[in-house]
Amino acid sequence: MSEVDFLNDAIAERFGFVRRARGSFLYTQKGVRLTDLYRDAGRAVLGWGGTGAFTMFKNVLSRGLTGSFPTCFSGRLLKAVETLLDSKRKIFVFNDRQKALSAAVVISSEGTFFWKPWSPEGVVWSSADCVIVEPPLAWTPGIFILAVLDNEKNEAALAGLALSSVRISAAVEAACARSIYDIILAVQSKSEKDWFIYDTVLTKYWERRGPYLYPKVPKEKYREFAEHCLDCAVVVSPFYDVPGIVPFGADPGVFSALKKKPFVMEKI
């Protein structure tokens, strides 16, 4: 059983299916609200539900612009990515993370990075040769944008990339662009003051770097820990190596059950 299957089955067994998702919460058939620290590996870092990207997607759909033909929204994604990375770029879209990475390392094996909001690595995005951006869309997985620095050094390699990249519809392109502007605003407005308020409970089990949570729980006990958290109405990342995310804007009281019923970590 995969980690995601384990998580989905564990939620369904305890609480029934998820009926609604909003912000950092999942609302289940049995009337239990779960605090979601996983958020689909960060695709829903801005929360579930009515984001600006979702509104944009619906507006473009209402125009019937679902094909891959050029539209009045063509080029918006490029502008959004250039704003995000503060540099002139050529962009190529892939439907697989490994394909995007393989294409990038051909151009620059040392200068390829995966973009991440509130990144603790201190990468200077504007000077990176290749940056792979996964738009923070909670409802559209499988979109990876390879942004290549637009300069003479990279020019020869760009022709081949155009053949291997995929086209996306105007509705998806417009939503991706809006999600990038949304995350730019979030990065500018959210900081340590929004995250440390959860430390009294969470830092016992995770090392927090910005809003990201890296487990202190031994790897061999992690699945047991994940099930314990579910019993406390908290959904953690099912993957040990994929960090969780603090629940932006939630009251720290959502962790009261975990605080009252702590998980026992045995020393190795």
Side-chain angles (χ1 to χ4, degrees):
M1 177 186 293
S2 73
E3 286 87 346
V4 172
D5 289 337
F6 150 73
L7 177 63
N8 292 339
D9 289 349
I11 290 174
E13 287 172 4
R14 287 167 172 79
F15 312 109
F17 294 116
V18 175
R19 300 183 63 180
R20 185 165 62 93
R22 179 174 294 174
S24 297
F25 300 108
L26 307 176
Y27 298 84
T28 67
Q29 284 179 314
K30 294 185 178 180
V32 178
R33 186 185 71 173
L34 306 177
T35 302
D36 184 10
L37 307 186
Y38 175 47
R39 305 227 275 288
D40 264 14
R43 278 192 297 272
V45 66
L46 294 177
W48 299 102
T51 64
F54 185 59
T55 301
M56 176 64 73
F57 183 71
K58 290 194 297 182
N59 289 344
V60 180
L61 278 181
S62 69
R63 301 186 184 197
L65 300 179
T66 57
S68 58
F69 41 76
T71 73
C72 58
F73 296 96
S74 299
R76 291 194 181 188
L77 184 57
L78 172 60
K79 291 180 180 178
V81 171
E82 289 183 331
T83 301
L84 177 72
L85 303 178
D86 192 26
S87 49
K88 297 294 291 182
R89 296 277 166 172
K90 298 288 187 181
I91 62 170
F92 307 88
V93 179
F94 294 84
N95 56 14
D96 180 85
R97 188 179 193 270
Q98 189 56 48
K99 289 179 181 178
L101 178 60
S102 298
V105 296
V106 170
I107 297 173
S108 179
S109 59
E110 298 296 324
T112 292
F113 302 91
F114 283 92
W115 178 82
K116 188 176 184 180
W118 302 283
S119 175
E121 287 82 10
V123 178
V124 180
W125 301 112
S126 61
S127 60
D129 277 324
C130 297
V131 181
I132 299 171
V133 179
E134 186 175 5
L137 289 174
W139 35 271
T140 308
I143 294 179
F144 300 88
I145 302 165
L146 171 56
V148 182
L149 203 59
D150 190 3
N151 58 26
E152 291 185 6
K153 184 184 73 170
N154 297 328
E155 188 174 349
L158 297 181
L161 285 180
L163 297 176
S164 56
S165 65
V166 299
R167 291 183 178 274
I168 55 178
S169 71
V172 173
E173 180 177 355
C176 287
R178 178 55 191 266
S179 74
I180 289 173
Y181 287 120
D182 286 346
I183 197 68
I184 290 172
L185 290 175
V187 168
Q188 293 171 346
S189 63
K190 296 186 183 299
S191 61
E192 184 67 17
K193 69 182 186 326
D194 301 292
W195 308 322
F196 83 93
I197 59 175
Y198 308 106
D199 284 356
T200 53
V201 178
L202 298 186
T203 53
K204 179 177 181 179
Y205 307 108
W206 289 275
E207 176 189 350
R208 183 178 60 77
R209 304 175 200 166
Y212 299 105
L213 303 170
Y214 295 83
K216 294 179 180 177
V217 178
K219 190 170 185 177
E220 61 272 19
K221 292 180 68 70
Y222 187 72
R223 180 164 289 195
E224 180 185 346
F225 171 66
E227 292 187 283
H228 179 89
C229 287
L230 270 183
D231 291 335
C232 298
V234 176
V235 179
V236 305
S237 170
F239 300 95
Y240 188 81
D241 298 321
V242 176
I245 302 167
V246 298
F248 294 104
D251 187 283
V254 297
F255 298 113
S256 59
L258 182 59
K259 188 175 182 178
K260 292 176 183 177
K261 186 182 177 184
F263 180 73
V264 178
M265 293 189 293
E266 299 175 359
K267 293 184 178 180
I268 303 301

